[in-house]
Amino acid sequence: MPPSKGYAALDAKSSLAPHNFSRREPGPTEIAVEILYCGVCHSDLHMARNEWGNSIYPMVPGHEIVGRVIAAGKSATKFKPGEIAAIGVIIDSCRHCAPCNRGEEHFCAEGPTLTYAAKDRVDGSITMGGYANNYVVDERFAHTVPTNLDLAAVAPLLCAGITTYSPLRHWKAGPGKKVGIVGLGGLGHMGLKFAHSFGAHTVQLTTSLKKKDDAIKLGADEVVLSTDEAAMKKHAGTFDFILDTASAPHALEPYLSLLKQDGTITLVGLPEKPPSVSVFSLIARRASIAGSMIGGMPETQEMLDYCGRNDITAEVEVIPIQKINEAFERMLKQDVKYRFVIDMSSLK
């Protein structure tokens, strides 16, 4: 393996800075990837600053990876050197529990191995993520990329894409369904694109009308200001499904009032504080609050293939790695449309 280098957080308060480390040679079914692009997820910031209390340092973040295969193990059959591969949020699992056998490795009964800040099942090392020049992963946990898609704009599909695609598919968003998307950021803009593409009547629910034009351009049939009681009342009891992508603490009751009987609101954002909900908001319409996270390996590949057929990618701002700390601060201010992606050639 070529020497590994990237940008790392050394503790919860330090800025990300250049960091040298090493990765193992690829095993029989593993591939080594030269990283071309890596998306910047809000969870990277949470983890770098230990806001969830489970961070391990030094930490190289990044789990939205697109790269070129530079080596493949002797038993690897899925990729050849020179081909493009994509790597997402998890890079291993127990591979034998019921969820793993169903292709839902993200629900592994023993817990999936995260792309960074986790104990590697193979050699016990701490995984280092995609804000780096290379990666080694079992080919089961890498995906092929449609050749017609822009690689920089593909990177966020490995987290933001599958995180919104999976619940919209699971709760059958499509023709004849009215679907709401809460929040218009890295996750929300992908939710809009997918819900519209699936044929649902898609409504952007927002606290600011500043993004109205963007929302319509991205696929919203309507835009509703969630702080406008009269506007919300007009839509009361009319939604089949709401995908809540907001990562800031917020009340759920206003959105629960929008659901039809037996409607569902699914949370994919990760606010620092847990939501509180009045039980009456649920029992009045037999409503459900659910959660969802990424997808298994087959569904992630399904999502990428769907994006290839329908020319769907993320809206991105490509940055050099040297601007990652600035990007974190801008992300906190919601000053990005709608996902930062690091061009890893800037490491050279």
Side-chain angles (χ1 to χ4, degrees), residues 12-238:
K13 295 183 179 180
S14 66
S15 297
L16 271 64
H19 180 68
N20 295 320
F21 60 103
S22 61
R23 300 196 194 271
R24 65 174 176 273
E25 294 291 326
T29 60
E30 292 183 323
I31 58 172
V33 174
E34 175 193 5
I35 299 175
L36 303 176
Y37 297 100
C38 185
V40 179
C41 180
H42 203 281
S43 60
D44 296 341
L45 189 153
H46 285 304
M47 287 291 288
R49 299 183 179 181
N50 198 26
E51 292 175 352
W52 294 330
N54 61 343
S55 297
I56 302 172
Y57 301 98
M59 178 195 302
V60 176
H63 58 211
E64 298 178 341
I65 299 168
V66 175
R68 181 176 291 105
V69 177
I70 55 175
K74 61 183 180 181
S75 300
T77 58
K78 190 174 176 181
F79 295 95
K80 297 177 181 178
E83 294 180 336
I84 299 297
I87 303 162
V89 178
I90 64 173
I91 50 90
D92 208 348
S93 66
C94 78
R95 312 190 196 192
H96 56 72
C97 69
C100 286
N101 288 335
R102 291 195 301 267
E104 294 185 319
E105 297 91 344
H106 56 311
F107 295 136
C108 176
E110 297 180 14
T113 302
L114 300 179
T115 311
Y116 66 89
K119 187 176 180 180
D120 195 302
R121 279 177 155 88
V122 175
D123 60 13
S125 64
I126 300 303
T127 57
M128 297 288 187
Y131 293 10
N133 62 328
N134 55 28
Y135 207 90
V136 173
V137 65
D138 191 285
E139 64 176 3
R140 171 174 173 166
F141 293 85
H143 308 280
T144 59
V145 176
T147 57
N148 61 306
L149 299 180
D150 176 73
L151 295 184
V154 164
L157 300 181
L158 278 301
C159 179
I162 187 58
T163 295
T164 51
Y165 180 95
S166 182
L168 287 166
R169 281 301 197 204
H170 182 80
W171 277 277
K172 298 178 172 57
K177 297 290 183 71
K178 185 175 179 179
V179 172
I181 306 294
V182 179
L184 184 55
L187 291 174
H189 91 285
M190 290 306 309
L192 267 186
K193 288 190 176 192
F194 283 133
H196 174 77
S197 177
F198 295 165
H201 182 83
T202 305
V203 181
Q204 177 66 52
L205 300 163
T206 180
T207 57
S208 171
L209 291 180
K210 291 180 181 179
K211 294 182 178 179
K212 180 178 179 179
D213 290 344
D214 277 6
I216 292 172
K217 188 184 301 182
L218 291 165
D221 296 294
E222 299 181 66
V223 179
V224 175
L225 185 64
S226 59
T227 55
D228 184 334
E229 291 185 16
M232 292 286 277
K233 193 171 183 179
K234 288 180 181 178
H235 290 267
T238 65

Side-chain angles (χ1 to χ4, degrees), residues 302-318:
E302 173 192 308
M303 179 270 305
L304 287 168
D305 293 342
Y306 180 88
C307 288
R309 292 193 302 274
N310 294 276
D311 197 24
I312 295 174
T313 53
E315 303 296 310
V316 303
E317 178 179 338
V318 179

Side-chain angles (χ1 to χ4, degrees), residues 242-266:
I242 295 175
L243 183 66
D244 187 341
T245 72
S247 59
H250 59 286
L252 295 184
E253 273 81 3
Y255 304 111
L256 289 168
S257 70
L258 299 178
L259 293 173
K260 292 179 178 179
Q261 180 182 318
D262 297 319
T264 298
I265 182 169
T266 294

